[in-house]
Amino acid sequence: MPRKKMMKACIKCKQRKKKCSGQLPCDYCVKIEQPGGCEYRTRTKSKVVKVTERYISSLKNKIRALEAELAKASEGPDSEGCLEDGATSAEVNPLIEPEFRLTPDLDSPKQESLTIGSVEHCVQASQHSKQFLGMSSCVQYLAKLKQSLVNSCGSSTEHFVATDGGWPPNDLDINRSFVENVATKELPDLRKAKELIEIAHEIIGADYMFLETGYFEDTAQHLICKNPPPLQSEAIIEYTTELLRLVAHLALGSLFDKENAESRSLGLKYHRTTLLLYSELVKTYDCAASTSLILSLLYMAYFSLSLNKATSAFVMTGSAIRTMFTLGLHKRTKTIVENRVFWLCFIYDRLLAVRFGFPLMIDERNINIPLLTEVDDNLTAVSLDIYHFVSQVRLAKITTQIITKIYTRNPYSFLHNCHAVLKQLKNWFESLPAELKFDYNDIKTATTRSTFNLHINYNYSIIIATRPVLLYVFNSILTENRTKEKIYEARQLELISVLLESCVQAAEIQSRILAKLYYDGKLANRSFLDCHYIFSATTVLILTGYCSMLSGESIAFSGDIEGLFDFIQHNLKILQGLSEYNLAAKNFNKQLTELIDMMSSDEVVKALATGRSQNDPTSVDFQQAVASPRPMSRILRKRGNNPPKDFEEIGYVDLSQLVNNMDAEFRSGSTTDLFLDEDFMNYASGSL
């Protein structure tokens, strides 16, 4: 990835004939408040190398030999000469073996530094020896048969035209009058449509939305006309699909339009229209499947999520992913658009899975394509939009590890799994491009929400990877009913403390960033994700404060306990302020309030006070805190309405020291019996 000053002018400066500073973003794009649209185009030399079939065959043999050695090393002496799936390399069936394609490993050390626009198609063995081929399909078997015949006679495949079932019967045709009515009566004028699309893209950004360059001029503008041209049977499907995507954009733009008091109702109106348009396309689904349909389904899922409808969002995302599979985008992408759409599906899959405990729909072992392949005649774009997107994909890949290692039962130690995840997060943060890093205490006006989202997502990943330790400590306190010195040994307490410190620090930083966005008016009022980030951070802070009150401050939190309550109180205030027009915020605020009331209830107070010595200092502190009804509620509500003074002092979680400490523990072999893995598994893998 280029870190130096660009030698050429960006596209906007070229178009408007302005002098370009050559930075990313450049001074002019910052001046016109479009830093995300600053984009450079560079031409790269073709890296296509012709190789002989014999050379490819030798590479295959080497890969099989390496896989056999890897299987032997991991499975023991009895697995000699076997692949991971139990078949020897000699038993691999060449008839069903896929075409020779090697997938770059995005997590390998050689590709730790992010390179955009120069993705090398290097010959590199896949990380996983097991690979889904999808060759059980009879149609694909027939295609292989035809291909063999073509190869044997040297003919071109153009002579063999595949037959299908013909055009769908009339009773399944799209309702033309309805589509025309939407196009002529429900769409806004060009100016308003462009404004809503820009609002949606600014709020959602490169993280969860993709707009091709010139989308409005090339596509949207032709749809917004009062007299749509007559369309043939084949063209009506493509027209309806693009109309669906446009209305999905308008729905999101209306939902996040702060200037319009009726924006929510207008957004709901457009969302209902998307559902009706989609129901028309379902009639001819096999013909309508396209990247535009996939994007429409993802945007409809995002809208449903903003309405706090997780089930609907999951179903819509699942439909988008299954459509993507039918198009084969997980195997091969021919254009940047197809490549981008696939990885967008991947991000949505991880987004829902980790936040709602849903199963993963896309298995990384079945992905055969690199990220952002060089296409379009070797013309590659360099922009913040692409930088953000690639960084989000890499973070989503770490989310996969969190789900499979932390929140899935497996034979490995929780501590080793946690260490592996935190090490990946550390490497991700250190390898962020300079353009995506910023001083938390000196945030520039050009910093986009997409950049904020990256750092918010980073802290969220730390929280969900380490919070099982906090729940473990909480349950230990409740069951042991003793002070920290009696619950843990010295080595246990040291390791627990550093893990808890990272978790709580990430929650505090998360609170600072979101509070700053809220008080600066940059928080997406109707966004589910922003509310969910506040909710997750506040849950950790409440539990930390409660544990500290039960068994001494230093066991779960070594900082200022009053400052901790400041964060909790202001997070609740933000959720309360958003509850007026955000169903997710209202729901999260209710759940947190119920938690505080439960902790402060007489039943819980009496149960926890039983058996504690009156002379125990931690008991005295706790009894004083719970002496009056609803004590925690009273503590949280005694703060003023102004943000804490240190909200501007935003740092970042440095995982280097934590990872190094855990490395030392593992090298010494002293962590083997530190914790009961079954306890961690109960608290990590349960439906929390």
Side-chain angles (χ1 to χ4, degrees), residues 100-108 111 114-124 126 131 328-344 346 364 366-375 389-390 393-394 397:
F100 186 69
R101 294 192 305 273
L102 294 177
T103 306
D105 183 2
L106 300 181
D107 292 330
S108 65
Q111 300 191 25
L114 187 60
T115 56
I116 307 299
S118 59
V119 181
E120 298 183 1
H121 295 278
C122 56
V123 179
Q124 177 182 358
S126 174
Q131 187 180 46
L329 301 187
H330 62 298
K331 294 182 179 180
R332 180 181 301 173
T333 56
K334 300 178 181 178
T335 64
I336 279 289
V337 174
E338 291 183 350
N339 191 284
R340 183 77 174 255
V341 168
F342 167 78
W343 287 109
L344 197 60
F346 181 83
E364 286 192 45
N366 300 334
I367 299 176
N368 301 332
I369 62 170
L371 177 58
L372 292 182
T373 311
E374 289 184 358
V375 291
F389 184 71
V390 173
V393 172
R394 293 184 61 217
K397 291 173 73 67

Side-chain angles (χ1 to χ4, degrees), residues 312-351:
S312 176
F314 186 62
V315 171
M316 289 292 180
T317 303
S319 298
I321 291 174
R322 288 185 177 274
T323 305
M324 177 272 296
F325 281 144
T326 61
L327 294 177
L329 301 187
H330 62 298
K331 294 182 179 180
R332 180 181 301 173
T333 56
K334 300 178 181 178
T335 64
I336 279 289
V337 174
E338 291 183 350
N339 191 284
R340 183 77 174 255
V341 168
F342 167 78
W343 287 109
L344 197 60
C345 288
F346 181 83
I347 289 178
Y348 270 77
D349 183 26
R350 270 47 184 175
L351 168 109

Side-chain angles (χ1 to χ4, degrees), residues 360-427:
L360 295 174
M361 290 180 278
I362 301 177
D363 191 336
E364 286 192 45
R365 294 172 296 181
N366 300 334
I367 299 176
N368 301 332
I369 62 170
L371 177 58
L372 292 182
T373 311
E374 289 184 358
V375 291
D376 294 341
D377 299 325
N378 295 318
L379 279 176
T380 53
V382 177
S383 66
L384 287 176
D385 179 79
I386 296 179
Y387 286 179
H388 288 134
F389 184 71
V390 173
S391 297
Q392 282 288 4
V393 172
R394 293 184 61 217
L395 198 55
K397 291 173 73 67
I398 298 178
T399 300
T400 307
Q401 299 301 311
I402 294 175
I403 294 173
T404 56
K405 285 182 168 62
I406 306 296
Y407 294 95
T408 301
R409 290 189 178 276
N410 57 75
Y412 300 101
S413 163
F414 168 83
L415 291 178
H416 283 82
N417 286 334
C418 185
H419 172 260
V421 169
L422 293 177
K423 193 170 185 179
Q424 287 183 319
L425 287 170
K426 167 183 171 291
N427 293 335

Side-chain angles (χ1 to χ4, degrees), residues 225-238:
C225 59
K226 299 304 179 182
N227 298 305
L231 301 171
Q232 301 297 325
S233 298
E234 295 83 354
I236 187 65
I237 293 181
E238 181 181 356

Side-chain angles (χ1 to χ4, degrees), residues 248-532:
H249 282 140
L250 299 178
L252 288 170
S254 300
L255 184 68
F256 295 117
D257 186 4
K258 294 183 179 180
E259 304 299 327
N260 185 2
E262 303 296 327
S263 60
R264 186 176 184 276
S265 59
L266 184 59
L268 289 172
K269 174 186 175 183
Y270 285 133
H271 184 62
R272 295 189 191 100
T273 302
T274 62
L275 295 175
L276 294 173
L277 287 171
Y278 178 62
S279 67
E280 290 296 324
L281 288 172
V282 168
K283 299 176 182 178
T284 55
Y285 207 103
D286 287 349
C287 299
S290 64
T291 55
S292 292
L293 180 60
I294 295 173
L295 290 173
S296 300
L297 288 168
L298 293 178
Y299 302 155
M300 292 163 68
Y302 197 98
F303 192 98
S304 297
L305 199 59
S306 300
L307 297 182
N308 202 33
K309 296 183 178 181
T311 303
S312 176
F314 186 62
V315 171
M316 289 292 180
T317 303
S319 298
I321 291 174
R322 288 185 177 274
T323 305
M324 177 272 296
F325 281 144
T326 61
L327 294 177
L329 301 187
H330 62 298
K331 294 182 179 180
R332 180 181 301 173
T333 56
K334 300 178 181 178
T335 64
I336 279 289
V337 174
E338 291 183 350
N339 191 284
R340 183 77 174 255
V341 168
F342 167 78
W343 287 109
L344 197 60
C345 288
F346 181 83
I347 289 178
Y348 270 77
D349 183 26
R350 270 47 184 175
L351 168 109
L352 294 173
V354 75
R355 285 163 180 77
F356 298 103
F358 293 146
L360 295 174
M361 290 180 278
I362 301 177
D363 191 336
E364 286 192 45
R365 294 172 296 181
N366 300 334
I367 299 176
N368 301 332
I369 62 170
L371 177 58
L372 292 182
T373 311
E374 289 184 358
V375 291
D376 294 341
D377 299 325
N378 295 318
L379 279 176
T380 53
V382 177
S383 66
L384 287 176
D385 179 79
I386 296 179
Y387 286 179
H388 288 134
F389 184 71
V390 173
S391 297
Q392 282 288 4
V393 172
R394 293 184 61 217
L395 198 55
K397 291 173 73 67
I398 298 178
T399 300
T400 307
Q401 299 301 311
I402 294 175
I403 294 173
T404 56
K405 285 182 168 62
I406 306 296
Y407 294 95
T408 301
R409 290 189 178 276
N410 57 75
Y412 300 101
S413 163
F414 168 83
L415 291 178
H416 283 82
N417 286 334
C418 185
H419 172 260
V421 169
L422 293 177
K423 193 170 185 179
Q424 287 183 319
L425 287 170
K426 167 183 171 291
N427 293 335
W428 177 89
F429 186 83
E430 292 177 348
S431 63
L432 267 183
E435 291 81 1
L436 302 186
K437 291 183 178 180
F438 60 89
D439 184 357
Y440 284 14
N441 298 314
D442 185 22
I443 300 175
K444 305 297 183 183
T445 56
T447 303
T448 64
R449 264 312 303 262
S450 292
T451 303
F452 277 112
N453 290 344
L454 279 176
H455 294 267
I456 292 172
N457 239 331
Y458 168 71
N459 287 287
Y460 176 75
S461 299
I462 295 175
I463 291 174
I464 59 177
T466 57
R467 70 183 179 188
V469 181
L470 179 57
L471 190 58
Y472 175 80
V473 170
F474 177 64
N475 280 276
S476 298
I477 294 174
L478 294 183
T479 54
E480 296 294 335
N481 202 20
R482 292 178 294 179
T483 60
K484 62 178 182 179
E485 290 79 6
K486 297 180 181 179
I487 296 179
Y488 307 108
E489 299 176 4
R491 289 185 301 110
Q492 291 178 329
L493 183 60
E494 181 179 353
L495 191 51
I496 284 176
S497 298
V498 294
L499 287 171
L500 289 180
E501 182 179 356
S502 298
C503 182
V504 177
Q505 186 181 359
E508 287 186 335
I509 293 174
Q510 194 87 298
S511 301
R512 287 187 177 106
I513 295 176
L514 292 165
K516 180 170 179 58
L517 290 174
Y518 175 75
Y519 289 113
D520 290 348
K522 296 180 180 179
L523 201 66
N525 291 343
R526 294 189 174 94
S527 170
F528 169 86
L529 293 179
D530 285 350
C531 297
H532 188 270

